[in-house]
Every structure is written in C-alpha cells, then in structure tokens.
Amino acid sequence: DLNLKGKDFLALADFSPSEILGLLEKAKKIKELHLSGESYTPLKGKTLGMIFEKSSTRTRVSFEAGMYQLGGNALFLSSNDLQIGRGEPISDTAQVLSQYLDGIMIRTFEHEKVEELAKYASIPVINGLTDLFHPCQVLADLLTIMEIKGELKGLKMAYIGDGNNMVHSLMIGAAKVGMDFSVACPDGYKPEEKVVNMALEFAKESGAKIVVTADPIEAVKDADVVYTDVWTSMGQEAENEIRLKAFAPTYQVNEELVKHAKDDYIFLHCLPAHRGEEVTAGVIDGSQSAVFQEAGNRLHAQKALLVELLK
Ligand code: CP
Ligand code: NVA
C-alpha cells in the first residue's frame, strides 16, 4: 500500500519508483471507476486551495473537476487577488491557509517559493508547475505511455526543444521508472546540469540511459515516445523572437524528424501547443499523436495523487 498521506508533491525526485508506479496503478483504477460512471468520493468535506501566478487551462480545470468528483471542493485563488500579490509573506500565507484547507496546489515562477510554502504549511502542497518542474504533467504522461505501450521500463523517450521545466520533470520521471531518455536542445537551452546529474543518479539504479545532445535525429532514433513543448515558456515572453531563431527549423518535431523514431512511436505534448513552431500540425493532429488522451489523464493521475495525499 502507498503511504503518502500528508506528504508534499513538489518534485518526482522525492518519490521512489514504487511510489510513482503505485500512483499510476491507483490512477488506472480511478479512471476505470470514472469511465464506468461509478461515484468514488473519499475526499468528502475536504478543500483544496489552488494558487495561480500563471495562466492555466488543464491544471486548473483538472484539479477543480477532480476535487468535485472525489466529493471535495476546490478554490481558485489568483495571486492578483490574494494578499501575496501585495507582499504578504509566503510563510504567513502558508500558515493561514493551513487553518482552512486540507491541501494547497500552487503554480508559480521560482521553485523555491513552492518549497517555502511547503515548509510553512502543515497541509500537503502540490506543485502545479514552477520554472523548474512540472511533476503532475509527468504523472499523466507516464500513465498515457503505460496505457498505450503496456509498460514503461525499457522504452525510449526523445524530447526535442527547450531544456525547460517539462524536460526536467520528464527526465527525472524516466530515470526513476527505467525509461531511456534522450534530449536534443540547442546550445544555451540545455536542461540544468544539477537536474541532469540527479537524473543520472536515479538512472544508475533503474538502468535507464540518459543522453543530452544537440542532434535531434540522434535523440529521436528508435524512440517509442517523441515529446516536445513550447519554445517560449510562461514568463519568457520577452525572449520570444530570439528563441524562435535558436530553435527553428532544426528543433521542430515534423514528419521528416519522426521518420527516425520507431514505426509505432507515439507523440506527446503537455499543451498548449504552437503548430508550425515546435511541432507541425501533421504530427500533433496525426494518427500517432496521443495528446488529448494525455491531457485527459491529468484528471485521473491527479485524482490518485489527491486521494493519496489528502485522504
Ligand atoms: N499542460 C498544462 O499544465 O497545461 P495548463 O498550462 O493549461 O495548465
Ligand atoms: N514549459 C511550459 C509548460 C506549460 C504547461 C511553461 O512553463 O509555460
């Protein structure tokens, strides 16, 4: 049995391979219940606060709907309206919210802010995306791969593009579950070295092979999963033009590039996507794309997480 009650979910690095796989098993069961129309309400009377300092479609709606489906409630808290926006310390906010709520999900810029919130909160804190990590997305991604491929260990994932929060969490997740992971990024946009080193450590235990290269063809070669994300993440809008020049056309996932992947490769993207930039319409809207199943799995994966942390 999983024993995650009261824990924070800030980064996949804090969880063992069996805890990650356990969450995925739980998510599968919760998804089956949901699809069969059976109600499952273990979080009756529980409230999740959701602090957003950045935009969101999937994260907000899947957490909110997920809490309702589990019998609880969710509160959308925009940082523009909270006193944090006017300088109330995170530490005070954490202690106050802990008096009212059963859990906090937060999406913000600096990862340290989430760590600070978790340090002072007496209730579980869930990372709904920081500049460094996006662990909830990777739970949904792994669930999707498992559903389609039947396994995780021994597969190869290729990530092409910006060495951002997504690639950091994917790399740690892959290393934990024993999936080979090759990432191709241009110079200046590589994943952070401290994260790569963490992944290499976890990979030693799982047997996964982690490769960082500048060559998209090398990365995609024989991949089971091809993944990309936007070239300009939230908060980097001022760099948009310079980033376009750094990534286009070499780091675009297009019909030509995916020829190097396995014939039965699947395409994943956390969304939102920019067709014609990091991926062509032909690939993301093609028959091997699983991006909507992936987006749907945010709901089921996070419901599993909420039940385990808050029950
Ligand atoms: N993938 C993801 O987190 O999407 P949102 O920004 O819409 O939440
Ligand atoms: N890397 C993107 C992911 C969005 C879900 C961002 O941080 O904006």
Side-chain angles (χ1 to χ4, degrees):
D1 221 28
L2 285 170
N3 189 16
L4 304 179
K5 189 173 159 52
K7 270 202 158 198
D8 300 312
F9 187 75
L10 307 190
L12 289 172
D14 303 333
F15 292 81
S16 69
S18 64
E19 287 171 334
I20 294 170
L21 295 172
L23 281 168
L24 298 178
E25 283 307 319
K26 177 101 191 170
K28 268 195 197 168
K29 289 194 191 120
I30 284 184
K31 182 171 181 175
E32 278 165 26
L33 284 177
H34 181 77
L35 295 178
S36 73
E38 231 174 286
S39 95
Y40 174 59
T41 55
L43 297 187
K44 241 187 195 152
K46 306 266 185 200
T47 308
L48 178 76
M50 311 188 298
I51 303 175
F52 282 91
E53 298 205 297
K54 291 175 175 172
S55 306
S56 171
T57 296
R58 281 142 288 267
T59 304
R60 177 184 175 178
V61 179
S62 58
F63 267 108
E64 196 161 326
M67 276 305 288
Y68 282 116
Q69 290 168 15
L70 293 167
N73 288 287
L75 292 177
F76 174 72
L77 307 166
S78 159
S79 60
N80 295 328
D81 305 325
L82 290 172
Q83 297 285 10
I84 310 189
R86 297 178 56 249
E88 182 168 18
I90 296 271
S91 51
D92 287 1
T93 304
Q95 292 174 83
V96 170
L97 292 181
S98 297
Q99 311 289 320
Y100 311 134
L101 301 171
D102 301 286
I104 305 172
M105 187 245 89
I106 176 168
R107 164 169 290 195
T108 188
F109 294 85
E110 304 85 0
H111 190 70
E112 293 71 27
K113 254 197 203 173
V114 175
E115 290 177 335
E116 171 104 349
L117 189 76
K119 183 176 162 198
Y120 288 97
S122 57
I123 54 178
V125 171
I126 297 172
N127 177 1
L129 181 146
T130 63
D131 291 343
L132 191 63
F133 290 126
H134 195 4
C136 291
Q137 179 68 49
V138 173
L139 285 183
D141 298 341
L142 295 178
L143 178 61
T144 309
I145 298 166
M146 222 153 95
E147 286 176 336
I148 300 173
K149 296 288 175 192
E151 62 190 344
L152 297 173
K153 205 176 171 71
L155 296 179
K156 176 182 175 180
M157 183 188 288
Y159 177 100
I160 310 302
D162 186 24
N164 60 14
N165 46 7
M166 252 343 299
V167 76
H168 288 159
S169 282
L170 285 167
M171 181 183 284
I172 300 285
K176 286 270 182 182
V177 302
M179 195 189 302
D180 291 345
F181 190 84
S182 289
V183 46
C185 310
D187 281 338
Y189 297 93
K190 297 263 194 288
E192 284 189 22
E193 211 176 290
K194 69 168 188 208
V195 179
V196 177
N197 287 336
M198 265 161 66
L200 287 170
E201 278 305 308
F202 297 134
K204 267 189 213 160
E205 280 163 49
S206 71
K209 198 173 140 203
I210 308 291
V211 175
V212 180
T213 173
D215 180 357
I217 294 176
E218 180 197 335
V220 168
K221 191 164 170 24
D222 296 327
D224 299 280
V225 181
V226 178
Y227 203 115
T228 189
D229 184 16
V230 291
W231 289 339
T232 301
S233 284
M234 291 181 277
Q236 300 173 332
E237 289 76 9
E239 298 170 23
N240 190 42
E241 218 167 300
I242 186 167
R243 284 177 164 270
L244 266 175
K245 284 199 195 107
F247 294 106
T250 316
Y251 295 89
Q252 182 187 67
V253 176
N254 53 37
E255 289 81 340
E256 200 46 47
L257 183 63
V258 295
K259 280 186 190 151
H260 300 275
K262 289 218 180 104
D263 288 341
D264 64 349
Y265 89 94
I266 60 167
F267 175 75
L268 297 181
H269 189 310
C270 57
L271 306 178
H274 294 73
R275 287 168 177 76
E277 290 189 15
E278 75 272 9
V279 62
T280 56
V283 170
I284 194 171
D285 300 319
S287 60
Q288 287 175 258
S289 171
V291 295
F292 298 114
Q293 181 176 341
E294 177 188 15
N297 279 336
R298 292 292 303 275
L299 175 70
H300 311 295
Q302 288 158 197
K303 280 170 75 178
L305 183 65
L306 287 166
V307 170
E308 289 303 321
L309 302 183
L310 307 189
K311 72 180 173 200

PDB file of all heavy atoms in Angstrom, residues 95-126:
ATOM      1  N   GLN A  95       0.786  29.428   6.642  1.00  0.00           N
ATOM      2  CA  GLN A  95       0.261  29.095   7.971  1.00  0.00           C
ATOM      3  C   GLN A  95      -1.223  29.441   8.090  1.00  0.00           C
ATOM      4  O   GLN A  95      -1.978  28.738   8.758  1.00  0.00           O
ATOM      5  CB  GLN A  95       1.084  29.790   9.055  1.00  0.00           C
ATOM      6  CG  GLN A  95       2.494  29.207   9.107  1.00  0.00           C
ATOM      7  CD  GLN A  95       3.407  29.943  10.059  1.00  0.00           C
ATOM      8  OE1 GLN A  95       3.391  29.698  11.246  1.00  0.00           O
ATOM      9  NE2 GLN A  95       4.191  30.871   9.527  1.00  0.00           N
ATOM     10  N   VAL A  96      -1.628  30.522   7.437  1.00  0.00           N
ATOM     11  CA  VAL A  96      -3.041  30.904   7.468  1.00  0.00           C
ATOM     12  C   VAL A  96      -3.881  29.901   6.673  1.00  0.00           C
ATOM     13  O   VAL A  96      -4.885  29.379   7.166  1.00  0.00           O
ATOM     14  CB  VAL A  96      -3.227  32.339   6.920  1.00  0.00           C
ATOM     15  CG1 VAL A  96      -4.702  32.647   6.720  1.00  0.00           C
ATOM     16  CG2 VAL A  96      -2.579  33.347   7.859  1.00  0.00           C
ATOM     17  N   LEU A  97      -3.455  29.608   5.441  1.00  0.00           N
ATOM     18  CA  LEU A  97      -4.238  28.691   4.602  1.00  0.00           C
ATOM     19  C   LEU A  97      -4.342  27.303   5.246  1.00  0.00           C
ATOM     20  O   LEU A  97      -5.332  26.612   5.061  1.00  0.00           O
ATOM     21  CB  LEU A  97      -3.641  28.612   3.189  1.00  0.00           C
ATOM     22  CG  LEU A  97      -3.769  29.890   2.347  1.00  0.00           C
ATOM     23  CD1 LEU A  97      -3.155  29.683   0.961  1.00  0.00           C
ATOM     24  CD2 LEU A  97      -5.226  30.346   2.213  1.00  0.00           C
ATOM     25  N   SER A  98      -3.317  26.936   6.006  1.00  0.00           N
ATOM     26  CA  SER A  98      -3.342  25.620   6.671  1.00  0.00           C
ATOM     27  C   SER A  98      -4.469  25.530   7.706  1.00  0.00           C
ATOM     28  O   SER A  98      -4.883  24.434   8.085  1.00  0.00           O
ATOM     29  CB  SER A  98      -2.005  25.346   7.363  1.00  0.00           C
ATOM     30  OG  SER A  98      -0.969  25.285   6.410  1.00  0.00           O
ATOM     31  N   GLN A  99      -4.968  26.683   8.181  1.00  0.00           N
ATOM     32  CA  GLN A  99      -6.075  26.690   9.148  1.00  0.00           C
ATOM     33  C   GLN A  99      -7.416  26.348   8.475  1.00  0.00           C
ATOM     34  O   GLN A  99      -8.338  25.929   9.139  1.00  0.00           O
ATOM     35  CB  GLN A  99      -6.229  28.076   9.808  1.00  0.00           C
ATOM     36  CG  GLN A  99      -4.965  28.700  10.343  1.00  0.00           C
ATOM     37  CD  GLN A  99      -4.438  27.990  11.578  1.00  0.00           C
ATOM     38  OE1 GLN A  99      -5.212  27.584  12.437  1.00  0.00           O
ATOM     39  NE2 GLN A  99      -3.130  27.818  11.652  1.00  0.00           N
ATOM     40  N   TYR A 100      -7.488  26.607   7.151  1.00  0.00           N
ATOM     41  CA  TYR A 100      -8.776  26.469   6.473  1.00  0.00           C
ATOM     42  C   TYR A 100      -8.864  25.253   5.565  1.00  0.00           C
ATOM     43  O   TYR A 100      -9.945  24.732   5.328  1.00  0.00           O
ATOM     44  CB  TYR A 100      -9.037  27.678   5.547  1.00  0.00           C
ATOM     45  CG  TYR A 100      -8.823  29.037   6.147  1.00  0.00           C
ATOM     46  CD1 TYR A 100      -8.115  30.014   5.447  1.00  0.00           C
ATOM     47  CD2 TYR A 100      -9.351  29.364   7.395  1.00  0.00           C
ATOM     48  CE1 TYR A 100      -7.933  31.282   5.971  1.00  0.00           C
ATOM     49  CE2 TYR A 100      -9.171  30.639   7.921  1.00  0.00           C
ATOM     50  CZ  TYR A 100      -8.457  31.591   7.206  1.00  0.00           C
ATOM     51  OH  TYR A 100      -8.277  32.833   7.721  1.00  0.00           O
ATOM     52  N   LEU A 101      -7.752  24.897   4.975  1.00  0.00           N
ATOM     53  CA  LEU A 101      -7.756  23.964   3.845  1.00  0.00           C
ATOM     54  C   LEU A 101      -7.181  22.604   4.231  1.00  0.00           C
ATOM     55  O   LEU A 101      -6.577  22.446   5.298  1.00  0.00           O
ATOM     56  CB  LEU A 101      -6.912  24.543   2.700  1.00  0.00           C
ATOM     57  CG  LEU A 101      -7.336  25.905   2.136  1.00  0.00           C
ATOM     58  CD1 LEU A 101      -6.264  26.436   1.177  1.00  0.00           C
ATOM     59  CD2 LEU A 101      -8.682  25.794   1.420  1.00  0.00           C
ATOM     60  N   ASP A 102      -7.322  21.640   3.319  1.00  0.00           N
ATOM     61  CA  ASP A 102      -6.739  20.311   3.506  1.00  0.00           C
ATOM     62  C   ASP A 102      -5.552  20.070   2.576  1.00  0.00           C
ATOM     63  O   ASP A 102      -4.824  19.087   2.725  1.00  0.00           O
ATOM     64  CB  ASP A 102      -7.817  19.255   3.257  1.00  0.00           C
ATOM     65  CG  ASP A 102      -8.972  19.443   4.212  1.00  0.00           C
ATOM     66  OD1 ASP A 102      -8.814  19.107   5.391  1.00  0.00           O
ATOM     67  OD2 ASP A 102     -10.017  19.995   3.788  1.00  0.00           O
ATOM     68  N   GLY A 103      -5.389  20.966   1.607  1.00  0.00           N
ATOM     69  CA  GLY A 103      -4.253  20.863   0.694  1.00  0.00           C
ATOM     70  C   GLY A 103      -4.148  22.127  -0.132  1.00  0.00           C
ATOM     71  O   GLY A 103      -5.141  22.855  -0.272  1.00  0.00           O
ATOM     72  N   ILE A 104      -2.940  22.391  -0.643  1.00  0.00           N
ATOM     73  CA  ILE A 104      -2.732  23.563  -1.499  1.00  0.00           C
ATOM     74  C   ILE A 104      -2.033  23.107  -2.776  1.00  0.00           C
ATOM     75  O   ILE A 104      -1.041  22.374  -2.714  1.00  0.00           O
ATOM     76  CB  ILE A 104      -1.826  24.627  -0.835  1.00  0.00           C
ATOM     77  CG1 ILE A 104      -2.364  25.041   0.537  1.00  0.00           C
ATOM     78  CG2 ILE A 104      -1.672  25.856  -1.742  1.00  0.00           C
ATOM     79  CD1 ILE A 104      -1.399  25.939   1.324  1.00  0.00           C
ATOM     80  N   MET A 105      -2.573  23.518  -3.917  1.00  0.00           N
ATOM     81  CA  MET A 105      -1.859  23.352  -5.178  1.00  0.00           C
ATOM     82  C   MET A 105      -1.386  24.738  -5.589  1.00  0.00           C
ATOM     83  O   MET A 105      -2.140  25.705  -5.456  1.00  0.00           O
ATOM     84  CB  MET A 105      -2.841  22.774  -6.215  1.00  0.00           C
ATOM     85  CG  MET A 105      -2.229  22.388  -7.523  1.00  0.00           C
ATOM     86  SD  MET A 105      -2.874  23.439  -8.827  1.00  0.00           S
ATOM     87  CE  MET A 105      -1.754  24.767  -8.784  1.00  0.00           C
ATOM     88  N   ILE A 106      -0.140  24.848  -6.033  1.00  0.00           N
ATOM     89  CA  ILE A 106       0.360  26.160  -6.435  1.00  0.00           C
ATOM     90  C   ILE A 106       1.101  26.104  -7.760  1.00  0.00           C
ATOM     91  O   ILE A 106       1.885  25.180  -8.011  1.00  0.00           O
ATOM     92  CB  ILE A 106       1.256  26.811  -5.347  1.00  0.00           C
ATOM     93  CG1 ILE A 106       1.841  28.141  -5.851  1.00  0.00           C
ATOM     94  CG2 ILE A 106       2.329  25.859  -4.847  1.00  0.00           C
ATOM     95  CD1 ILE A 106       2.500  29.007  -4.802  1.00  0.00           C
ATOM     96  N   ARG A 107       0.832  27.070  -8.627  1.00  0.00           N
ATOM     97  CA  ARG A 107       1.574  27.265  -9.881  1.00  0.00           C
ATOM     98  C   ARG A 107       2.241  28.630  -9.789  1.00  0.00           C
ATOM     99  O   ARG A 107       1.566  29.651  -9.621  1.00  0.00           O
ATOM    100  CB  ARG A 107       0.626  27.214 -11.079  1.00  0.00           C
ATOM    101  CG  ARG A 107       1.256  27.800 -12.346  1.00  0.00           C
ATOM    102  CD  ARG A 107       0.451  27.513 -13.593  1.00  0.00           C
ATOM    103  NE  ARG A 107       0.528  26.105 -13.940  1.00  0.00           N
ATOM    104  CZ  ARG A 107       0.165  25.616 -15.124  1.00  0.00           C
ATOM    105  NH1 ARG A 107      -0.296  26.411 -16.066  1.00  0.00           N
ATOM    106  NH2 ARG A 107       0.265  24.334 -15.379  1.00  0.00           N
ATOM    107  N   THR A 108       3.573  28.636  -9.892  1.00  0.00           N
ATOM    108  CA  THR A 108       4.288  29.907  -9.761  1.00  0.00           C
ATOM    109  C   THR A 108       5.580  29.902 -10.559  1.00  0.00           C
ATOM    110  O   THR A 108       5.819  29.008 -11.374  1.00  0.00           O
ATOM    111  CB  THR A 108       4.531  30.224  -8.262  1.00  0.00           C
ATOM    112  OG1 THR A 108       5.065  31.545  -8.139  1.00  0.00           O
ATOM    113  CG2 THR A 108       5.499  29.233  -7.628  1.00  0.00           C
ATOM    114  N   PHE A 109       6.405  30.889 -10.348  1.00  0.00           N
ATOM    115  CA  PHE A 109       7.655  31.041 -11.083  1.00  0.00           C
ATOM    116  C   PHE A 109       8.782  30.279 -10.377  1.00  0.00           C
ATOM    117  O   PHE A 109       9.073  29.140 -10.735  1.00  0.00           O
ATOM    118  CB  PHE A 109       7.990  32.528 -11.240  1.00  0.00           C
ATOM    119  CG  PHE A 109       6.982  33.248 -12.108  1.00  0.00           C
ATOM    120  CD1 PHE A 109       5.803  33.750 -11.570  1.00  0.00           C
ATOM    121  CD2 PHE A 109       7.187  33.372 -13.476  1.00  0.00           C
ATOM    122  CE1 PHE A 109       4.861  34.385 -12.378  1.00  0.00           C
ATOM    123  CE2 PHE A 109       6.254  33.999 -14.293  1.00  0.00           C
ATOM    124  CZ  PHE A 109       5.086  34.519 -13.733  1.00  0.00           C
ATOM    125  N   GLU A 110       9.366  30.859  -9.350  1.00  0.00           N
ATOM    126  CA  GLU A 110      10.529  30.251  -8.684  1.00  0.00           C
ATOM    127  C   GLU A 110      10.115  28.991  -7.930  1.00  0.00           C
ATOM    128  O   GLU A 110       9.194  29.022  -7.116  1.00  0.00           O
ATOM    129  CB  GLU A 110      11.171  31.219  -7.686  1.00  0.00           C
ATOM    130  CG  GLU A 110      11.590  32.546  -8.264  1.00  0.00           C
ATOM    131  CD  GLU A 110      10.437  33.547  -8.292  1.00  0.00           C
ATOM    132  OE1 GLU A 110       9.314  33.206  -7.862  1.00  0.00           O
ATOM    133  OE2 GLU A 110      10.678  34.671  -8.765  1.00  0.00           O
ATOM    134  N   HIS A 111      10.870  27.917  -8.139  1.00  0.00           N
ATOM    135  CA  HIS A 111      10.587  26.675  -7.424  1.00  0.00           C
ATOM    136  C   HIS A 111      10.746  26.863  -5.913  1.00  0.00           C
ATOM    137  O   HIS A 111      10.043  26.238  -5.115  1.00  0.00           O
ATOM    138  CB  HIS A 111      11.516  25.567  -7.935  1.00  0.00           C
ATOM    139  CG  HIS A 111      11.144  24.210  -7.430  1.00  0.00           C
ATOM    140  ND1 HIS A 111      10.005  23.555  -7.851  1.00  0.00           N
ATOM    141  CD2 HIS A 111      11.720  23.407  -6.506  1.00  0.00           C
ATOM    142  CE1 HIS A 111       9.913  22.389  -7.221  1.00  0.00           C
ATOM    143  NE2 HIS A 111      10.938  22.285  -6.401  1.00  0.00           N
ATOM    144  N   GLU A 112      11.646  27.750  -5.517  1.00  0.00           N
ATOM    145  CA  GLU A 112      11.913  27.986  -4.093  1.00  0.00           C
ATOM    146  C   GLU A 112      10.662  28.476  -3.361  1.00  0.00           C
ATOM    147  O   GLU A 112      10.496  28.242  -2.170  1.00  0.00           O
ATOM    148  CB  GLU A 112      13.042  29.022  -3.907  1.00  0.00           C
ATOM    149  CG  GLU A 112      14.417  28.565  -4.377  1.00  0.00           C
ATOM    150  CD  GLU A 112      14.546  28.457  -5.901  1.00  0.00           C
ATOM    151  OE1 GLU A 112      13.804  29.183  -6.618  1.00  0.00           O
ATOM    152  OE2 GLU A 112      15.358  27.634  -6.373  1.00  0.00           O
ATOM    153  N   LYS A 113       9.793  29.180  -4.096  1.00  0.00           N
ATOM    154  CA  LYS A 113       8.556  29.675  -3.480  1.00  0.00           C
ATOM    155  C   LYS A 113       7.672  28.520  -3.020  1.00  0.00           C
ATOM    156  O   LYS A 113       7.058  28.571  -1.970  1.00  0.00           O
ATOM    157  CB  LYS A 113       7.759  30.490  -4.517  1.00  0.00           C
ATOM    158  CG  LYS A 113       7.800  31.961  -4.311  1.00  0.00           C
ATOM    159  CD  LYS A 113       6.665  32.590  -5.117  1.00  0.00           C
ATOM    160  CE  LYS A 113       6.993  34.045  -5.391  1.00  0.00           C
ATOM    161  NZ  LYS A 113       6.026  34.665  -6.307  1.00  0.00           N
ATOM    162  N   VAL A 114       7.621  27.493  -3.870  1.00  0.00           N
ATOM    163  CA  VAL A 114       6.805  26.322  -3.547  1.00  0.00           C
ATOM    164  C   VAL A 114       7.416  25.580  -2.357  1.00  0.00           C
ATOM    165  O   VAL A 114       6.705  25.100  -1.471  1.00  0.00           O
ATOM    166  CB  VAL A 114       6.694  25.413  -4.793  1.00  0.00           C
ATOM    167  CG1 VAL A 114       5.952  24.134  -4.466  1.00  0.00           C
ATOM    168  CG2 VAL A 114       5.996  26.152  -5.919  1.00  0.00           C
ATOM    169  N   GLU A 115       8.739  25.530  -2.332  1.00  0.00           N
ATOM    170  CA  GLU A 115       9.414  24.881  -1.205  1.00  0.00           C
ATOM    171  C   GLU A 115       9.163  25.653   0.091  1.00  0.00           C
ATOM    172  O   GLU A 115       8.961  25.062   1.158  1.00  0.00           O
ATOM    173  CB  GLU A 115      10.916  24.763  -1.489  1.00  0.00           C
ATOM    174  CG  GLU A 115      11.185  23.746  -2.590  1.00  0.00           C
ATOM    175  CD  GLU A 115      12.649  23.621  -2.972  1.00  0.00           C
ATOM    176  OE1 GLU A 115      13.411  24.599  -2.775  1.00  0.00           O
ATOM    177  OE2 GLU A 115      13.020  22.559  -3.490  1.00  0.00           O
ATOM    178  N   GLU A 116       9.155  26.964  -0.025  1.00  0.00           N
ATOM    179  CA  GLU A 116       8.899  27.829   1.137  1.00  0.00           C
ATOM    180  C   GLU A 116       7.464  27.610   1.637  1.00  0.00           C
ATOM    181  O   GLU A 116       7.223  27.481   2.843  1.00  0.00           O
ATOM    182  CB  GLU A 116       9.101  29.292   0.692  1.00  0.00           C
ATOM    183  CG  GLU A 116       8.666  30.338   1.696  1.00  0.00           C
ATOM    184  CD  GLU A 116       9.845  30.975   2.412  1.00  0.00           C
ATOM    185  OE1 GLU A 116      10.971  30.444   2.266  1.00  0.00           O
ATOM    186  OE2 GLU A 116       9.626  31.975   3.120  1.00  0.00           O
ATOM    187  N   LEU A 117       6.535  27.572   0.701  1.00  0.00           N
ATOM    188  CA  LEU A 117       5.127  27.344   1.061  1.00  0.00           C
ATOM    189  C   LEU A 117       4.991  26.003   1.779  1.00  0.00           C
ATOM    190  O   LEU A 117       4.329  25.902   2.821  1.00  0.00           O
ATOM    191  CB  LEU A 117       4.266  27.368  -0.211  1.00  0.00           C
ATOM    192  CG  LEU A 117       2.762  27.369  -0.010  1.00  0.00           C
ATOM    193  CD1 LEU A 117       2.278  28.752   0.424  1.00  0.00           C
ATOM    194  CD2 LEU A 117       2.034  26.972  -1.295  1.00  0.00           C
ATOM    195  N   ALA A 118       5.644  24.983   1.241  1.00  0.00           N
ATOM    196  CA  ALA A 118       5.549  23.638   1.823  1.00  0.00           C
ATOM    197  C   ALA A 118       6.191  23.596   3.206  1.00  0.00           C
ATOM    198  O   ALA A 118       5.713  22.908   4.109  1.00  0.00           O
ATOM    199  CB  ALA A 118       6.217  22.629   0.896  1.00  0.00           C
ATOM    200  N   LYS A 119       7.264  24.374   3.368  1.00  0.00           N
ATOM    201  CA  LYS A 119       7.972  24.383   4.651  1.00  0.00           C
ATOM    202  C   LYS A 119       7.066  24.916   5.762  1.00  0.00           C
ATOM    203  O   LYS A 119       7.075  24.404   6.880  1.00  0.00           O
ATOM    204  CB  LYS A 119       9.228  25.252   4.508  1.00  0.00           C
ATOM    205  CG  LYS A 119      10.096  25.300   5.731  1.00  0.00           C
ATOM    206  CD  LYS A 119      11.369  26.095   5.493  1.00  0.00           C
ATOM    207  CE  LYS A 119      11.975  26.495   6.825  1.00  0.00           C
ATOM    208  NZ  LYS A 119      12.946  27.589   6.662  1.00  0.00           N
ATOM    209  N   TYR A 120       6.287  25.930   5.462  1.00  0.00           N
ATOM    210  CA  TYR A 120       5.471  26.578   6.491  1.00  0.00           C
ATOM    211  C   TYR A 120       4.044  26.058   6.560  1.00  0.00           C
ATOM    212  O   TYR A 120       3.333  26.347   7.521  1.00  0.00           O
ATOM    213  CB  TYR A 120       5.486  28.099   6.296  1.00  0.00           C
ATOM    214  CG  TYR A 120       6.829  28.694   6.677  1.00  0.00           C
ATOM    215  CD1 TYR A 120       7.800  28.961   5.717  1.00  0.00           C
ATOM    216  CD2 TYR A 120       7.136  28.930   8.010  1.00  0.00           C
ATOM    217  CE1 TYR A 120       9.039  29.472   6.069  1.00  0.00           C
ATOM    218  CE2 TYR A 120       8.367  29.439   8.380  1.00  0.00           C
ATOM    219  CZ  TYR A 120       9.316  29.706   7.401  1.00  0.00           C
ATOM    220  OH  TYR A 120      10.542  30.196   7.769  1.00  0.00           O
ATOM    221  N   ALA A 121       3.598  25.327   5.540  1.00  0.00           N
ATOM    222  CA  ALA A 121       2.237  24.789   5.566  1.00  0.00           C
ATOM    223  C   ALA A 121       2.236  23.483   6.346  1.00  0.00           C
ATOM    224  O   ALA A 121       3.174  22.696   6.259  1.00  0.00           O
ATOM    225  CB  ALA A 121       1.742  24.555   4.145  1.00  0.00           C
ATOM    226  N   SER A 122       1.151  23.243   7.089  1.00  0.00           N
ATOM    227  CA  SER A 122       1.044  21.973   7.810  1.00  0.00           C
ATOM    228  C   SER A 122       0.188  20.986   7.024  1.00  0.00           C
ATOM    229  O   SER A 122      -0.118  19.904   7.498  1.00  0.00           O
ATOM    230  CB  SER A 122       0.449  22.212   9.197  1.00  0.00           C
ATOM    231  OG  SER A 122      -0.810  22.842   9.071  1.00  0.00           O
ATOM    232  N   ILE A 123      -0.209  21.359   5.818  1.00  0.00           N
ATOM    233  CA  ILE A 123      -1.019  20.506   4.941  1.00  0.00           C
ATOM    234  C   ILE A 123      -0.215  20.220   3.659  1.00  0.00           C
ATOM    235  O   ILE A 123       0.737  20.956   3.368  1.00  0.00           O
ATOM    236  CB  ILE A 123      -2.361  21.196   4.594  1.00  0.00           C
ATOM    237  CG1 ILE A 123      -2.110  22.595   4.004  1.00  0.00           C
ATOM    238  CG2 ILE A 123      -3.254  21.295   5.833  1.00  0.00           C
ATOM    239  CD1 ILE A 123      -3.359  23.350   3.591  1.00  0.00           C
ATOM    240  N   PRO A 124      -0.573  19.179   2.902  1.00  0.00           N
ATOM    241  CA  PRO A 124       0.194  18.860   1.692  1.00  0.00           C
ATOM    242  C   PRO A 124       0.181  19.999   0.663  1.00  0.00           C
ATOM    243  O   PRO A 124      -0.842  20.651   0.465  1.00  0.00           O
ATOM    244  CB  PRO A 124      -0.529  17.638   1.112  1.00  0.00           C
ATOM    245  CG  PRO A 124      -1.215  17.013   2.280  1.00  0.00           C
ATOM    246  CD  PRO A 124      -1.608  18.150   3.177  1.00  0.00           C
ATOM    247  N   VAL A 125       1.332  20.223   0.049  1.00  0.00           N
ATOM    248  CA  VAL A 125       1.468  21.213  -1.019  1.00  0.00           C
ATOM    249  C   VAL A 125       1.801  20.461  -2.311  1.00  0.00           C
ATOM    250  O   VAL A 125       2.677  19.596  -2.326  1.00  0.00           O
ATOM    251  CB  VAL A 125       2.557  22.250  -0.701  1.00  0.00           C
ATOM    252  CG1 VAL A 125       2.840  23.140  -1.903  1.00  0.00           C
ATOM    253  CG2 VAL A 125       2.138  23.097   0.508  1.00  0.00           C
ATOM    254  N   ILE A 126       1.075  20.779  -3.375  1.00  0.00           N
ATOM    255  CA  ILE A 126       1.276  20.132  -4.674  1.00  0.00           C
ATOM    256  C   ILE A 126       1.805  21.164  -5.662  1.00  0.00           C
ATOM    257  O   ILE A 126       1.252  22.266  -5.782  1.00  0.00           O
ATOM    258  CB  ILE A 126      -0.062  19.550  -5.201  1.00  0.00           C
ATOM    259  CG1 ILE A 126      -0.571  18.464  -4.244  1.00  0.00           C
ATOM    260  CG2 ILE A 126       0.101  19.001  -6.616  1.00  0.00           C
ATOM    261  CD1 ILE A 126      -1.981  17.956  -4.571  1.00  0.00           C
TER     262      ILE A 126
END
